């Protein structure tokens, strides 16, 4: 029936019990465990037949397992021992009733070793598990032992590769194993005793002593079971006021030394004063109404300062006349749970206090968007009360135009399990809407499903308004930037290691830049890439603007570009960014026209002055002398040519002197000498006062060439 284990896999390969001591245990859930054990104890007394199924259901839930079950030892007709899966819950529930051999199964290994055992993928060794076609990531098996007799095992399995069992699972399963063993032992003993009683009744119906003994034994075993589960029992006779406590109940109350019989007043005297008033006010009505009671209370342990929290569950039973006669029930210690709850409340109170100090609006909500917590800042800002804001009330505070889009983005964030970030407007208590940036982070369970969204809304109204104003300003700036006819550029000044500016890069240029500068495709390039022979003083000058942060305006003749510019340079950006903005215009044509007009004006003025001076004169010598003296005021030629003869020293100006190419205003006698053969100077004729030039410079000369062959002006 069962296949032998693989030759390549040994039992030691699948047994990983030692790993339990190395894993960090998860936090215990005392409240869930206590709430689960209470109905279990009641079921033991009322319906023991279905108890095992309840136990495995609890194991499945408390340990977050995939499958849980109980296997009991049986003997086949052939005498072989097997484990029968008597109850199963979870993934493999359909295999209930199946069996595994005693000598070749995880349950057998557990009983042989007598301690909890953990297996990893046991189907690799116990190959018959492979027939289930469901991988078993881990299996935790615990023995069921009563009176030193091993009767079976209780076990849990995980089929999720992310779920691994730890010491907390061992602790929970140990409690369930003890409870199960006690229940099984009780059932076995009860069954055996009832069978014996039935045999005796068949033999002698009048003999009831064995039945009574069986009942007493059943009660004793029930008592042991409740003690194993740390459950105290009590019974209050409402007519005699006598109270019977179990030994464990006395321990829970801290009154083991108080002799019986006890009364209801003895129990009331142990209660905390606040709880005593509550019980005395409500208990009579509960009893008269025949209601089941479930209440929590504090007891003061006699002789100590200890206070213990207990939870009692009781039921009223009436006599034949329908009058309340007996109230009986159980009690469990919930001190640890209460302390945990108090710690959580304190932590929550601290968190709330901190959250109220935060200027942001904070909340948490369900995946569907329903909100159940806010910080105080939300109420202060919106003017809503907590009752108005809870649930879906927050929607009223969102701007109507933003609600649909915000809700859609929230749903998408939940569906994708992603961080939500969006902007929308939230109404202030005075009716004004302000812009907020909203962020919400998902909280997921172990399966990756979003179970909570924690959010915060930060006021960004001023930033948003400023951004809109900036965009509007940038639009105006861009329109102006592109529409002006002067060239504009934003420069990044480049400095070397000595903090000397050596080049600059064009970061941005306007449409008129190319027309004004003659440089195309300049953005992103440096000036030396565009004009390699540019004079270095340009980078240095812009570098001073960047460093000193002072604007300058000047006109400059850029020889390397053969252009004259009108330039206004001013610092831009933060100090240290080395940014300079330049607004400029090409004024080359204008400067040339101005120079021509200036020269023409000077020549016209000279002519008028000379004419005025010569008009009253009649003698040639006077005319010549006056003309000679006035000629010294004639605008000088660009080459600075100077003319001399034996009687006069005259200065003339012309556009281009054919005889010389000397610096302006340089005086030299060689200009009155012709460069003849042998370099011998020749004296100019006394009456020749004309420079051999392309344009006239001395107005009293009658011809371009002197008639005297000895004149050096020829």
């Amino acid at each position: 029936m069962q296949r032998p284990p693989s030759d390549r896999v040994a039992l030691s390969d699948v047994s990983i019990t030692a790993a339990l001591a190395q894993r960090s245990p998860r936090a215990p859930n005392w409240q869930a465990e206590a709430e689960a054990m209470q109905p279990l104890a009641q079921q033991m007394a009322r319906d023991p037949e279905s108890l095992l199924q309840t136990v495995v259901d609890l194991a499945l839930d408390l340990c977050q397992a995939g499958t849980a079950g109980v296997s009991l030892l049986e003997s086949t007709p052939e005498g072989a021992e097997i484990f029968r899966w008597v109850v199963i819950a979870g993934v493999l529930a359909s295999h209930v009733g199946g069996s595994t051999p005693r000598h070749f199964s995880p349950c057998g290994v557990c009983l042989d070793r007598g301690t909890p055992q953990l297996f990893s993928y046991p189907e690799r060794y116990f190959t018959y598990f492979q027939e289930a076609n469901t991988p078993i990531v881990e299996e935790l098996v615990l023995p069921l032992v009563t009176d030193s007799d091993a009767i079976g095992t209780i076990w849990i399995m995980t089929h999720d590769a992310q779920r691994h069992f730890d010491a907390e699972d061992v602790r929970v399963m140990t409690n369930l194993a003890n409870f199960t063993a006690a229940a099984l032992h009780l059932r076995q003993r009860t069954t055996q005793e009832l069978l014996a009683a039935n045999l005796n009744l068949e033999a002698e119906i009048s003999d009831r002593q064995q039945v009574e003994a069986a009942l007493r034994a059943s009660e004793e075993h029930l008592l042991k079971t409740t003690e194993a589960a740390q459950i105290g029992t009590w019974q209050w006779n409402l007519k005699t006021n006598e109270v019977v406590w179990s030994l464990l109940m006395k321990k829970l109350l801290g009154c083991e030394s108080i002799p019986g019989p006890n009364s209801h007043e003895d129990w009331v005297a142990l209660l905390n004063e606040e709880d005593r008033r509550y019980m005395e006010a409500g208990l009579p009505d509960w009893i008269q109404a025949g209601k089941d009671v479930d209440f929590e209370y504090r007891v003061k342990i006699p002789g100590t300062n200890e206070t213990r929290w207990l939870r009692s569950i009781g039921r009223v039973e009436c006599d034949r006349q329908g009058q309340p006669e007996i109230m009986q029930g159980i009690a469990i210690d919930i001190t640890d749970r209460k302390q945990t709850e108090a710690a959580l409340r304190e932590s929550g109170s601290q968190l709330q206090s901190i959250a109220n100090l935060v200027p942001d609006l904070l909340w948490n909500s369900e995946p569907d968007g329903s909100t159940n917590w806010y910080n105080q800042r939300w109420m202060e800002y919106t003017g809503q009360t907590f009752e108005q804001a809870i649930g879906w009330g927050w929607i009223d505070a969102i701007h109507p135009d933003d609600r649909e889009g915000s809700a859609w983005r929230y749903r998408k964030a939940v569906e994708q399990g992603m961080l939500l970030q969006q902007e929308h407007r939230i109404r202030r208590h005075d009716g004004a809407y302000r812009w907020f940036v909203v962020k919400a982070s998902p909280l997921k369970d172990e399966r990756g499903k979003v179970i909570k969204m924690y959010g915060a809304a930060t006021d960004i109204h001023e930033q948003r308004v400023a951004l809109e104003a900036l965009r509007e300003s940038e639009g105006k700036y861009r329109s102006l930037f592109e529409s002006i006819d002067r060239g504009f550029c934003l420069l990044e000044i480049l400095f070397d290691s000595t903090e000397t500016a050596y080049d600059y890069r064009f970061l941005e240029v306007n449409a008129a830049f190319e027309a004004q500068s003659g440089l195309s495709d300049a953005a992103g390039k440096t000036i030396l890439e565009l004009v390699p022979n540019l004079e270095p003083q340009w980078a240095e000058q812009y570098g001073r603007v960047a460093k000193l942060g002072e604007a300058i305006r000047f006109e400059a003749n850029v020889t390397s570009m053969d252009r004259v510019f009108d330039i206004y340079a001013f610092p831009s950006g933060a100090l240290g960014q080395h940014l300079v903005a330049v607004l400029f215009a090409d004024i080359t044509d204008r400067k040339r026209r101005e120079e021509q007009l200036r020269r023409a004006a000077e020549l016209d003025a000279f002519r008028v002055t000379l004419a005025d001076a010569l008009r009253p004169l009649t003698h040639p010598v006077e005319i010549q002398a006056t003309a000679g003296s006035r000629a010294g005021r004639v605008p000088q030629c660009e080459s600075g040519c100077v003319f001399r003869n034996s009687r006069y020293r005259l200065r003339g100006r012309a556009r281009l002197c054919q005889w010389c190419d000397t610096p302006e205003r340089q005086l030299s006698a060689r200009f009155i000498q012709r460069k003849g053969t042998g370099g011998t100077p020749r004296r100019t004729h006394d009456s020749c006062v004309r420079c051999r030039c392309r344009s006239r410079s001395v107005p009293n000369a009658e011809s371009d060439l002197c008639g005297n062959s000895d004149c050096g002006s020829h």
Side-chain angles (χ1 to χ4, degrees):
M1 179 177 65
Q2 289 81 18
R3 290 176 287 185
S6 171
D7 294 336
R8 291 171 294 181
V9 179
L11 177 60
S12 58
D13 294 328
V14 300
S15 178
I16 60 168
T17 306
L20 290 170
Q22 301 171 0
R23 296 176 179 173
S24 299
R26 59 189 174 87
N29 191 338
W30 301 108
Q31 182 176 357
E33 187 176 346
E35 291 177 353
M37 296 298 289
Q38 294 163 13
L40 201 61
Q42 295 177 349
Q43 187 177 4
M44 179 184 292
R46 298 172 186 170
D47 188 13
E49 292 301 320
S50 62
L51 182 65
L52 292 184
Q53 186 64 51
T54 303
V55 169
V56 297
D57 289 339
L58 288 176
L60 193 72
D61 182 51
L62 293 176
C63 296
Q64 302 173 11
T67 304
V70 172
S71 299
L72 298 182
L73 269 175
E74 293 182 5
S75 295
T76 65
E78 295 77 19
E81 286 188 320
I82 63 171
F83 285 99
R84 180 75 64 188
W85 291 5
V86 294
V87 287
I88 303 179
V91 176
L92 300 180
S94 61
H95 295 273
V96 65
S99 64
T100 59
R102 165 71 171 80
H103 66 282
F104 183 58
S105 67
C107 296
V109 174
C110 176
L111 290 190
D112 291 342
R113 296 180 179 178
T115 58
Q117 297 294 309
L118 182 64
F119 300 92
S120 175
Y121 294 97
E123 65 268 30
R124 294 180 295 162
Y125 181 76
F126 306 104
T127 54
Y128 48 81
F129 283 132
Q130 297 174 5
E131 297 177 0
N133 198 27
T134 301
I136 304 172
V137 178
E138 287 187 0
E139 180 181 16
L140 178 63
V141 187
L142 290 86
L144 296 177
V145 181
T146 61
D147 293 341
S148 301
D149 294 330
I151 60 174
T153 61
I154 183 170
W155 44 268
I156 52 176
M157 296 176 177
T158 174
H159 309 290
D160 183 357
Q162 304 301 318
R163 177 69 176 105
H164 300 283
F165 298 126
D166 54 31
E168 176 60 15
D169 297 300
V170 174
R171 186 193 68 79
V172 173
M173 290 301 294
T174 299
N175 288 341
L176 292 176
N178 292 337
F179 200 100
T180 303
L184 287 172
H185 185 59
L186 175 62
R187 189 173 71 173
Q188 289 176 352
R189 291 291 299 271
T190 301
T191 301
Q192 293 171 0
E193 290 165 358
L194 289 175
L195 288 174
N198 287 335
L199 291 175
N200 292 332
L201 286 173
E202 290 177 0
E204 188 177 352
I205 298 177
S206 61
D207 189 0
R208 304 177 58 181
Q209 293 181 352
Q210 294 182 4
V211 176
E212 293 175 356
L215 291 174
R216 285 195 299 271
S218 177
E219 291 176 353
E220 291 176 1
H221 289 299
L222 179 60
L223 178 60
K224 291 180 180 180
T225 301
T226 56
E227 288 180 351
Q230 294 294 298
I231 299 175
T233 60
W234 50 270
Q235 187 179 75
W236 178 20
N237 190 317
L238 300 174
K239 294 183 177 180
T240 64
N241 199 33
E242 184 179 71
V243 177
V244 177
W245 293 324
S246 67
L247 180 60
L248 182 59
M249 185 67 189
K250 286 191 172 185
K251 290 181 179 179
L252 294 177
L253 295 173
C255 58
E256 302 98 315
S257 60
I258 299 178
N262 302 111
S263 65
H264 174 66
E265 287 70 24
D266 294 332
W267 173 73
V268 171
L270 298 173
L271 299 184
N272 172 275
E273 183 176 353
E274 180 182 354
D275 298 333
R276 182 188 307 135
R277 290 196 300 268
Y278 173 74
M279 293 301 301
E280 289 177 342
L283 191 57
D285 294 337
W286 299 340
I287 294 174
Q288 194 61 37
K291 294 181 179 179
D292 292 347
V293 294
D294 186 345
F295 51 91
E296 299 174 355
Y297 55 93
R298 289 160 287 183
V299 294
K300 298 177 294 183
I301 305 303
T304 69
N305 293 325
E306 180 185 359
T307 297
R308 188 176 296 164
W309 274 96
L310 300 180
R311 179 183 179 184
S312 286
I313 303 172
R315 169 167 291 183
V316 175
E317 296 182 2
C318 298
D319 57 17
R320 294 179 180 180
Q321 288 75 33
Q323 295 299 316
E325 181 178 22
I326 293 175
M327 176 181 279
Q328 58 184 356
I330 62 171
I332 58 174
D333 189 339
I334 59 171
T335 304
D336 291 341
R337 191 198 82 192
K338 284 294 187 178
Q339 291 174 347
T340 301
E341 290 175 352
L344 288 174
R345 283 194 300 271
E346 182 179 359
S347 176
S349 177
Q350 293 176 352
L351 178 61
Q352 183 71 43
S353 298
I354 295 173
N356 289 338
L357 296 175
V358 176
D360 293 347
L361 315 183
L362 306 182
W363 74 89
N364 68 54
S365 59
E366 302 299 323
D368 63 356
S370 174
T371 305
N372 48 39
W373 176 85
Y374 298 90
N375 68 342
Q376 187 61 32
R377 177 64 177 150
W378 173 275
M379 272 71 77
E380 292 173 355
Y381 176 82
T382 63
Q384 290 182 322
T385 64
F386 182 78
E387 291 71 20
Q388 292 172 332
I390 205 73
W392 300 94
W394 58 271
I395 293 179
D396 294 336
I398 308 301
H399 194 286
D401 294 344
D402 300 336
R403 292 174 187 173
E404 184 176 352
S406 296
W408 180 84
R409 286 185 287 271
Y410 181 90
R411 289 194 299 270
K412 280 294 182 183
V414 172
E415 291 172 4
Q416 299 173 4
M418 302 290 288
L419 176 70
L420 169 67
Q421 182 166 337
Q422 62 180 344
E423 295 180 8
H424 61 215
R425 287 161 287 183
I426 303 177
R427 187 184 63 240
R428 197 167 56 190
H429 56 82
D430 59 0
Y433 284 94
R434 294 180 65 84
W435 280 100
F436 285 77
V437 59
V438 177
K439 295 181 180 180
S441 178
L443 175 66
K444 304 177 184 178
D445 61 14
E446 63 276 3
R447 298 179 181 84
K449 181 180 179 181
V450 176
I451 57 177
K452 282 283 187 183
M453 291 290 283
Y454 290 90
T458 304
D459 191 329
I460 59 166
H461 192 77
E462 279 72 19
Q463 297 92 314
R464 180 89 179 216
V465 171
L467 181 60
E468 293 297 332
L470 179 61
R471 288 174 179 167
E472 182 180 356
S473 175
E474 286 181 347
K476 293 179 179 178
Y477 160 76
R478 179 58 58 183
S479 177
L480 176 63
F481 180 73
E482 296 297 340
S483 64
I484 59 176
D485 57 357
R486 294 177 69 90
F488 178 83
C489 58
L490 181 63
L491 308 178
E492 178 189 6
I493 313 303
L494 305 179
F495 293 86
D496 59 18
S497 58
T498 64
E499 292 297 317
T500 300
Y502 66 91
D503 200 355
Y504 50 86
R505 188 184 310 279
F506 293 96
L507 300 182
E508 192 174 1
V509 298
N510 71 340
F513 176 86
E514 182 175 349
Q516 292 290 338
S517 68
L519 303 176
S520 60
D521 194 23
K525 297 178 181 178
T526 67
I527 188 62
L528 292 182
E529 291 176 336
L530 300 170
V531 187
N533 60 338
L534 183 72
E535 296 84 349
Q537 61 264 30
W538 289 101
E540 295 173 0
Q541 193 160 16
Y542 290 145
R544 286 193 294 272
V545 174
K547 279 188 172 183
L548 300 178
E550 297 178 355
I552 59 172
R553 182 163 189 169
F554 59 96
E555 293 181 357
N557 183 3
V558 184
T559 306
S560 55
M561 299 177 67
D562 194 24
R563 292 183 181 226
V564 181
F565 294 101
D566 177 29
I567 299 173
Y568 177 61
F570 54 94
S572 180
L575 191 63
Q577 289 184 309
H578 299 158
L579 300 181
V580 173
V582 179
L583 188 66
F584 66 95
D586 184 354
I587 59 172
T588 305
D589 293 340
R590 191 193 81 191
K591 298 298 287 186
R592 287 174 180 172
R593 289 193 300 270
E594 289 176 355
E595 180 63 19
Q596 291 174 355
L597 292 174
R598 183 185 64 78
R599 290 177 180 176
E602 288 180 352
L603 186 57
D604 289 343
F606 171 75
R607 287 172 179 169
V608 171
T609 302
L610 182 60
D612 291 342
L614 296 178
R615 187 176 296 114
L617 303 179
T618 58
H619 194 279
V621 175
E622 292 180 344
I623 293 173
Q624 185 177 14
T626 302
S629 64
R630 294 291 181 178
R633 304 174 188 174
V634 177
Q636 190 178 19
C637 73
E638 290 178 347
S639 60
C641 181
V642 180
F643 307 92
R644 296 175 182 270
N645 62 21
S646 59
R647 297 179 59 185
Y648 302 104
R649 177 184 299 177
L650 300 178
R651 293 182 179 179
R653 291 181 181 270
R655 286 186 178 277
L656 181 62
C657 182
Q658 292 179 342
W659 281 21
C660 60
D661 186 16
T662 58
E664 184 179 359
R665 303 187 65 84
Q666 180 177 347
L667 302 178
S668 175
R670 63 187 176 89
F671 295 117
I672 65 171
Q673 302 170 354
R674 289 204 52 185
K675 299 176 183 178
T677 304
T680 303
R682 298 179 63 185
R683 185 184 179 194
T684 59
H685 193 268
D686 289 349
S687 63
C688 180
V689 291
R690 183 162 222 31
C691 174
R692 190 178 180 86
C693 299
R694 292 177 183 170
S695 62
R696 298 181 60 153
S697 60
V698 181
N700 65 344
E702 297 180 355
S703 64
D704 288 342
L705 297 175
C706 178
N708 190 336
S709 61
D710 295 330
C711 180
S713 300
H714 279 274

